[in-house]
Amino acid sequence: MINLVHNELIKLVRKKRLYVVIAILAVLVCLFTYAQMKQVESMQERLGTLDWRTELQQEITNTQNRLNSSGISDEWRGYLQIQVSQQEYYLEQDINPSAPGAPTFMRVFIENAIDLVLPLLVVVVVADLVSSESSAGTIKMLLTRPVKRWRILLSKFLTMVFSVSFIVLSMGVLSYVISGAVFGYSGWSLPILTGFAVEGEELVTTNVRLIEQWEYILMELGLSWFVGITVGAITLMLSVLMRSTAAVMGVMLAALISGAILSNMVSSWETAKYFFMVNLRVTNYISGMGAPIEGMTLGFSLMVLTVWGLVALLVAFITFTRKDVY
Amino acid sequence: MKMNLVTVVASLSIVATIVWIIGLGMTINDQLLQESSAGSPPASTSDEAEQSSDTFLLALGDSLTRGTGDLQGQGYVTYLLDELKSRSDQSIQLSNLAVRGYTSEELLNQLEQTEIQRQIAQADMIFMTIGGNDLFQGGQALSVDSAFIIENSTETYLENLEEIYSAIESANGDTTVYHLGLYNPFNQLDGAEMTSSAVRNWNNESAEIAAKFDHVVFVPTYDLFQLDVNDFIYSDQFHPNNEGYQLIGRRLAALITLNEGGEGDE
């Protein structure tokens, strides 16, 4: 088994996909770091102050002004309202939700990457794990070895798990190292609030508690990893079902992008919450930003993701062990 | 060399897998299993609010302070700030917390927030417009039969106004509040007599309340817009345009003298 996984890892490294992923991440992090830097600068110039309270209050007031203007969709209004109540709560507790520093950048970056960037990177690596063997014909060589088919697929599955771990790791390390050059490397022990609950358009703060930022980031990374594994499992299934890597990527791309769009407009279509791609933003539950559809909770989303992942694996294993290869 | 790289990637991945599983476990443990055990709101970790020596201007109120209708700047406060900056080399900070559509009731609620009170406590001067939405109800022209509504809303407005003044005074007894009066945006429309008298009454009674407080200065704007109102009104026929805002800014600037080290220090 170890040899099989090792063999798969050699293929993975030789194909240089991981370098592409790291390069994409590095470029994105540089971009966002620069954007963030510019934003901080312009804010300071406008307010003439470094006090985060004044800045945050200004942000709240700006949002309230937007809320009071016409032509704003209900979904967006609800989202903004929750954001305002949360920011007000942070102010009340005298805790800066965005104290400058690399860990803060990292936290926000992960939150924003979890539903699109990270899954896409996983797709890039996983999409051709099986399908490339079919299209290149090497699958025959692989299957003629005296190894059970399910073991071969299991080795591919483990390779997928490892690459997801590696991608999440690179995401964490790169966002920390690069942004730290600008914002400084400290801030691991800053307090962060978690435990917000959203009911309708109200923010419930009865369960709110403080945790240190490193715990929060570790939790976020754990969730990202889980999302990555689910997406990876579905991609692996498609990779078994289709011979063309491009087709696998196309389908996954469509699914992920439709998920990103759907989460902004499905609040009235309740059954959409059973789609895996609407459940990807699981970090929103620990930051307390509310779910796209009423009734979605962290437990629910993890459940949906688990079921999708398991079903995908089941389909992948059954198909792979039974299909004729010619 | 190739083999080494594979080993490195493999071992990193295995370690990372374990760490991420721990992270996921922590999340599930923290968020799903301990939901009820929490409930102790965090203690404040205040790093003491530093009182800066800069002059700090605070703007409160509704869309007129926000600057709705001004396509170039951000309302009269920005023009005022520019004017003050050109006069003095002190550094001046401005915080504009006005929200369009605010009525006196909503402003009163806003004043209860800790952060707003903190900023009031730091403010050397406060600029404020309020009441426009109470009177005109969101910019709709007054119809003749709304006289009764005006009567009613005046009363609650005046009560709220008095509470607003006292809330500011109790948060900071040294600061000066410049409360800008209303103008009549409908001066050149039908029924101007009616609206003008309503606005005049409204201003008079606000000024009466303001007179009860030592640090409140009621600044009229009615006269600024009395003639040629259409030259100074934005296309929504309600808010001032940039020239209108410049008028207001200049009027305020004329009232303000900057002492060395900021106003209200002694």
Side-chain angles (χ1 to χ4, degrees), chain A residues 145-162:
Chain A
R145 305 280 137 162
V147 188
K148 289 243 162 50
R149 278 192 185 189
W150 67 265
R151 298 187 66 138
I152 291 178
L153 192 60
L154 185 62
S155 72
K156 299 227 180 243
F157 169 75
L158 287 178
T159 312
M160 182 275 282
V161 172
F162 288 152

mmCIF file of all heavy atoms in Angstrom, chain A residues 145-162:
data_model
loop_
_atom_site.group_PDB
_atom_site.id
_atom_site.type_symbol
_atom_site.label_atom_id
_atom_site.label_comp_id
_atom_site.label_asym_id
_atom_site.label_seq_id
_atom_site.Cartn_x
_atom_site.Cartn_y
_atom_site.Cartn_z
ATOM 1 N N ARG A 145 -0.984 -5.092 -12.924
ATOM 2 C CA ARG A 145 -0.176 -5.483 -11.754
ATOM 3 C C ARG A 145 -1.010 -6.390 -10.845
ATOM 4 O O ARG A 145 -2.232 -6.280 -10.821
ATOM 5 C CB ARG A 145 0.243 -4.253 -10.941
ATOM 6 C CG ARG A 145 0.958 -3.200 -11.719
ATOM 7 C CD ARG A 145 2.394 -3.561 -11.911
ATOM 8 N NE ARG A 145 2.753 -3.264 -13.301
ATOM 9 C CZ ARG A 145 4.002 -3.139 -13.723
ATOM 10 N NH1 ARG A 145 4.999 -3.308 -12.882
ATOM 11 N NH2 ARG A 145 4.258 -2.886 -14.966
ATOM 12 N N PRO A 146 -0.332 -7.211 -10.092
ATOM 13 C CA PRO A 146 -1.098 -8.119 -9.223
ATOM 14 C C PRO A 146 -1.594 -7.412 -7.953
ATOM 15 O O PRO A 146 -1.290 -7.805 -6.838
ATOM 16 C CB PRO A 146 -0.071 -9.207 -8.880
ATOM 17 C CG PRO A 146 1.236 -8.508 -8.954
ATOM 18 C CD PRO A 146 1.113 -7.481 -10.034
ATOM 19 N N VAL A 147 -2.313 -6.352 -8.155
ATOM 20 C CA VAL A 147 -2.856 -5.611 -7.012
ATOM 21 C C VAL A 147 -4.349 -5.464 -7.243
ATOM 22 O O VAL A 147 -4.788 -5.261 -8.370
ATOM 23 C CB VAL A 147 -2.212 -4.210 -6.898
ATOM 24 C CG1 VAL A 147 -2.644 -3.536 -5.616
ATOM 25 C CG2 VAL A 147 -0.709 -4.312 -6.980
ATOM 26 N N LYS A 148 -5.113 -5.588 -6.175
ATOM 27 C CA LYS A 148 -6.566 -5.432 -6.301
ATOM 28 C C LYS A 148 -6.898 -4.018 -6.760
ATOM 29 O O LYS A 148 -6.250 -3.038 -6.366
ATOM 30 C CB LYS A 148 -7.226 -5.693 -4.944
ATOM 31 C CG LYS A 148 -7.189 -7.138 -4.541
ATOM 32 C CD LYS A 148 -8.607 -7.661 -4.438
ATOM 33 C CE LYS A 148 -8.679 -9.170 -4.458
ATOM 34 N NZ LYS A 148 -7.769 -9.832 -3.502
ATOM 35 N N ARG A 149 -7.961 -3.908 -7.558
ATOM 36 C CA ARG A 149 -8.314 -2.586 -8.088
ATOM 37 C C ARG A 149 -8.658 -1.582 -7.000
ATOM 38 O O ARG A 149 -8.310 -0.408 -7.078
ATOM 39 C CB ARG A 149 -9.507 -2.718 -9.029
ATOM 40 C CG ARG A 149 -9.123 -3.162 -10.416
ATOM 41 C CD ARG A 149 -10.296 -2.965 -11.308
ATOM 42 N NE ARG A 149 -10.045 -3.483 -12.634
ATOM 43 C CZ ARG A 149 -10.869 -3.281 -13.652
ATOM 44 N NH1 ARG A 149 -11.992 -2.627 -13.452
ATOM 45 N NH2 ARG A 149 -10.587 -3.758 -14.829
ATOM 46 N N TRP A 150 -9.397 -2.059 -5.991
ATOM 47 C CA TRP A 150 -9.792 -1.110 -4.964
ATOM 48 C C TRP A 150 -8.592 -0.538 -4.245
ATOM 49 O O TRP A 150 -8.591 0.598 -3.788
ATOM 50 C CB TRP A 150 -10.815 -1.722 -3.996
ATOM 51 C CG TRP A 150 -10.294 -2.845 -3.132
ATOM 52 C CD1 TRP A 150 -10.386 -4.182 -3.402
ATOM 53 C CD2 TRP A 150 -9.626 -2.729 -1.872
ATOM 54 N NE1 TRP A 150 -9.818 -4.903 -2.402
ATOM 55 C CE2 TRP A 150 -9.339 -4.046 -1.447
ATOM 56 C CE3 TRP A 150 -9.233 -1.656 -1.073
ATOM 57 C CZ2 TRP A 150 -8.684 -4.298 -0.241
ATOM 58 C CZ3 TRP A 150 -8.586 -1.920 0.130
ATOM 59 C CH2 TRP A 150 -8.305 -3.238 0.536
ATOM 60 N N ARG A 151 -7.498 -1.322 -4.186
ATOM 61 C CA ARG A 151 -6.298 -0.809 -3.527
ATOM 62 C C ARG A 151 -5.660 0.294 -4.365
ATOM 63 O O ARG A 151 -5.108 1.252 -3.834
ATOM 64 C CB ARG A 151 -5.303 -1.929 -3.284
ATOM 65 C CG ARG A 151 -5.861 -2.990 -2.356
ATOM 66 C CD ARG A 151 -4.798 -3.984 -2.021
ATOM 67 N NE ARG A 151 -3.743 -3.356 -1.244
ATOM 68 C CZ ARG A 151 -3.172 -3.944 -0.189
ATOM 69 N NH1 ARG A 151 -3.568 -5.137 0.198
ATOM 70 N NH2 ARG A 151 -2.216 -3.349 0.457
ATOM 71 N N ILE A 152 -5.752 0.125 -5.666
ATOM 72 C CA ILE A 152 -5.198 1.164 -6.542
ATOM 73 C C ILE A 152 -5.968 2.467 -6.351
ATOM 74 O O ILE A 152 -5.389 3.547 -6.158
ATOM 75 C CB ILE A 152 -5.268 0.715 -8.015
ATOM 76 C CG1 ILE A 152 -4.276 -0.435 -8.206
ATOM 77 C CG2 ILE A 152 -4.951 1.877 -8.952
ATOM 78 C CD1 ILE A 152 -4.280 -1.012 -9.587
ATOM 79 N N LEU A 153 -7.298 2.337 -6.315
ATOM 80 C CA LEU A 153 -8.095 3.548 -6.144
ATOM 81 C C LEU A 153 -7.886 4.126 -4.752
ATOM 82 O O LEU A 153 -7.834 5.351 -4.571
ATOM 83 C CB LEU A 153 -9.576 3.269 -6.396
ATOM 84 C CG LEU A 153 -10.407 4.542 -6.520
ATOM 85 C CD1 LEU A 153 -9.926 5.394 -7.673
ATOM 86 C CD2 LEU A 153 -11.879 4.238 -6.695
ATOM 87 N N LEU A 154 -7.721 3.232 -3.762
ATOM 88 C CA LEU A 154 -7.475 3.720 -2.404
ATOM 89 C C LEU A 154 -6.180 4.523 -2.361
ATOM 90 O O LEU A 154 -6.099 5.584 -1.722
ATOM 91 C CB LEU A 154 -7.407 2.539 -1.427
ATOM 92 C CG LEU A 154 -7.273 2.931 0.042
ATOM 93 C CD1 LEU A 154 -8.492 3.727 0.485
ATOM 94 C CD2 LEU A 154 -7.115 1.702 0.925
ATOM 95 N N SER A 155 -5.173 4.044 -3.081
ATOM 96 C CA SER A 155 -3.912 4.791 -3.094
ATOM 97 C C SER A 155 -4.123 6.161 -3.741
ATOM 98 O O SER A 155 -3.544 7.161 -3.320
ATOM 99 C CB SER A 155 -2.831 4.016 -3.827
ATOM 100 O OG SER A 155 -3.097 4.025 -5.207
ATOM 101 N N LYS A 156 -4.992 6.197 -4.755
ATOM 102 C CA LYS A 156 -5.276 7.492 -5.378
ATOM 103 C C LYS A 156 -6.037 8.396 -4.407
ATOM 104 O O LYS A 156 -5.806 9.605 -4.352
ATOM 105 C CB LYS A 156 -6.107 7.291 -6.651
ATOM 106 C CG LYS A 156 -5.380 6.443 -7.679
ATOM 107 C CD LYS A 156 -5.460 7.066 -9.041
ATOM 108 C CE LYS A 156 -4.742 6.236 -10.061
ATOM 109 N NZ LYS A 156 -3.610 6.958 -10.662
ATOM 110 N N PHE A 157 -6.948 7.767 -3.667
ATOM 111 C CA PHE A 157 -7.695 8.546 -2.686
ATOM 112 C C PHE A 157 -6.750 9.143 -1.632
ATOM 113 O O PHE A 157 -6.826 10.332 -1.304
ATOM 114 C CB PHE A 157 -8.758 7.664 -2.016
ATOM 115 C CG PHE A 157 -9.409 8.296 -0.822
ATOM 116 C CD1 PHE A 157 -10.354 9.305 -0.978
ATOM 117 C CD2 PHE A 157 -9.070 7.904 0.469
ATOM 118 C CE1 PHE A 157 -10.949 9.897 0.114
ATOM 119 C CE2 PHE A 157 -9.656 8.497 1.567
ATOM 120 C CZ PHE A 157 -10.593 9.497 1.396
ATOM 121 N N LEU A 158 -5.831 8.333 -1.132
ATOM 122 C CA LEU A 158 -4.897 8.839 -0.117
ATOM 123 C C LEU A 158 -4.029 9.946 -0.701
ATOM 124 O O LEU A 158 -3.739 10.942 -0.030
ATOM 125 C CB LEU A 158 -4.022 7.685 0.394
ATOM 126 C CG LEU A 158 -4.765 6.708 1.304
ATOM 127 C CD1 LEU A 158 -3.847 5.564 1.720
ATOM 128 C CD2 LEU A 158 -5.299 7.402 2.540
ATOM 129 N N THR A 159 -3.637 9.773 -1.958
ATOM 130 C CA THR A 159 -2.859 10.827 -2.611
ATOM 131 C C THR A 159 -3.665 12.123 -2.644
ATOM 132 O O THR A 159 -3.140 13.203 -2.393
ATOM 133 C CB THR A 159 -2.514 10.418 -4.048
ATOM 134 O OG1 THR A 159 -2.001 9.100 -4.009
ATOM 135 C CG2 THR A 159 -1.517 11.365 -4.648
ATOM 136 N N MET A 160 -4.977 11.976 -2.934
ATOM 137 C CA MET A 160 -5.846 13.149 -2.946
ATOM 138 C C MET A 160 -5.839 13.797 -1.565
ATOM 139 O O MET A 160 -5.678 15.011 -1.443
ATOM 140 C CB MET A 160 -7.263 12.710 -3.357
ATOM 141 C CG MET A 160 -8.283 13.815 -3.469
ATOM 142 S SD MET A 160 -9.055 14.208 -1.909
ATOM 143 C CE MET A 160 -10.217 12.880 -1.746
ATOM 144 N N VAL A 161 -5.991 12.997 -0.520
ATOM 145 C CA VAL A 161 -6.018 13.542 0.841
ATOM 146 C C VAL A 161 -4.717 14.283 1.137
ATOM 147 O O VAL A 161 -4.718 15.412 1.640
ATOM 148 C CB VAL A 161 -6.239 12.416 1.881
ATOM 149 C CG1 VAL A 161 -6.065 12.949 3.296
ATOM 150 C CG2 VAL A 161 -7.610 11.802 1.708
ATOM 151 N N PHE A 162 -3.603 13.664 0.758
ATOM 152 C CA PHE A 162 -2.321 14.303 1.028
ATOM 153 C C PHE A 162 -2.182 15.609 0.246
ATOM 154 O O PHE A 162 -1.672 16.601 0.767
ATOM 155 C CB PHE A 162 -1.159 13.362 0.692
ATOM 156 C CG PHE A 162 -1.026 12.238 1.677
ATOM 157 C CD1 PHE A 162 -0.485 11.020 1.301
ATOM 158 C CD2 PHE A 162 -1.450 12.399 2.990
ATOM 159 C CE1 PHE A 162 -0.368 9.978 2.217
ATOM 160 C CE2 PHE A 162 -1.339 11.358 3.906
ATOM 161 C CZ PHE A 162 -0.795 10.145 3.512
#
